[in-house]
Amino acid sequence: MALDIGGTWTRVAAGGAVLARFPTDPGYERQLARVAAAVPAGAEPLGVSFGGRVTPDGAVRVALNLRAYEGRPLAADLATALGRPVRVAHDATCGLLGEATAGALRGFDRCGYLTLSTGVGAAVRLGGTFLTTEAGHQLLAGNDEPCDCGQTGCLQTLTGGGALSRRLGRSLESVDDASFWQRYSESLAFGIANFALAAGLEAVALGGAIALRRAELWPSLRAALARILTYQRVALLPAALGESAPLAGAAALPGLPEGAVLH
């Protein structure tokens, strides 16, 4: 059983099939009630992919798109509401876990996952350890855009759907300007290069709506990455599980040994 609580949508899945999908409520108690109504009764463990950083016991540390959730014991509250064991991890970590076990990153021991949607999430696999990173908040020289996190110059301000939509005054889905997407590719390529170099990654999979719904982004992105990343090569791959990667990873989460996920 798997649950994906993102900044925009929440999904419930079992056996690989999505059972429910609804807008994520910014109110914490209202969201708990909606989840409790959507998750079928049962005792099997629930893995949860969450759009924010959590502590090892599943409390919410940082959730830039769901501020009312911060400091709340999400795993414990869900376990009480649903009457089953619950394990929570960052959505990027779950996306990485899904792709590493059943998707594009199978066979890579040093690999990473970036999700490009409302924000920019990132996670790394080093052997049997999966860890959340803050690659979306790496600082890029020459970028003077303020980020929701409080910094100025984060990668997320140039590649995150929420930040760009607010600045443009419209959704990214409506932007067809080739020059805009060329600039986007250049910014993202620097972010991916830094991400890969910092952890010595062999491969990086890109997930999230922005990466997966814009096929025209990939040629310019790969060209930009090949031009700037000459010290080491990294395979750049679309997430094979698509937008289901976090759900697949959440479903696998309860079976991981303790300590396999560093939050």
Side-chain angles (χ1 to χ4, degrees):
M1 181 67 65
L3 173 66
D4 175 32
I5 302 175
T8 304
W9 293 98
T10 293
R11 297 176 295 166
V12 180
V18 175
L19 306 180
R21 181 178 183 268
F22 53 87
T24 300
D25 199 308
Y28 182 76
E29 284 79 10
R30 293 192 303 269
Q31 175 72 3
L32 288 179
R34 296 199 70 178
V35 169
V39 174
E44 75 173 283
L46 175 70
V48 181
S49 166
F50 178 69
R53 296 291 298 271
V54 299
T55 64
D57 61 356
V60 179
R61 289 175 52 199
V62 180
L64 296 181
N65 297 305
L66 295 167
R67 287 294 196 182
Y69 291 47
E70 292 180 346
R72 307 301 291 269
L74 181 61
D77 286 344
L78 285 173
T80 298
L82 301 173
R84 64 172 78 209
V86 173
R87 192 168 177 183
V88 182
H90 189 220
D91 58 357
T93 302
C94 287
L96 171 63
L97 179 57
E99 289 296 323
T101 56
L105 296 174
R106 283 178 294 182
F108 292 104
D109 284 333
R110 300 181 72 97
C111 56
Y113 177 86
L114 280 174
T115 177
L116 305 171
S117 51
T118 306
V120 178
V124 168
R125 177 187 187 181
L126 299 175
T129 302
F130 298 80
L131 60 148
T132 298
T133 81
E134 291 291 5
H137 295 283
Q138 61 181 279
L139 302 176
L140 297 184
N143 178 16
D144 59 2
E145 294 293 338
C147 183
D148 290 342
C149 74
Q151 296 186 145
T152 297
C154 292
L155 173 67
Q156 181 163 294
T157 66
L158 303 178
T159 56
L164 287 171
S165 294
R166 288 192 296 272
R167 197 151 69 244
L168 294 171
R170 55 184 173 135
S171 71
L172 287 191
E173 294 178 355
S174 66
V175 179
D176 292 319
D177 180 3
S179 63
F180 171 87
W181 290 108
Q182 181 61 42
R183 292 192 300 272
Y184 185 100
S185 298
E186 296 284 341
S187 298
L188 182 56
F190 276 105
I192 292 171
N194 292 335
F195 180 48
L197 287 165
L201 304 181
E202 305 167 272
V204 174
L206 296 187
I210 298 173
L212 299 174
R213 295 178 186 174
R214 283 208 167 262
E216 70 274 20
L217 177 65
W218 287 84
S220 59
L221 177 58
R222 285 194 167 112
L225 187 61
R227 187 178 68 255
I228 65 175
L229 187 60
T230 58
Y231 180 73
Q232 73 176 54
R233 294 299 180 187
V234 60
L236 184 62
L237 309 166
L241 302 180
E243 294 181 51
S244 296
L247 278 172
L253 192 59
L256 287 182
E258 289 297 327
V261 176
L262 300 182
H263 301 277

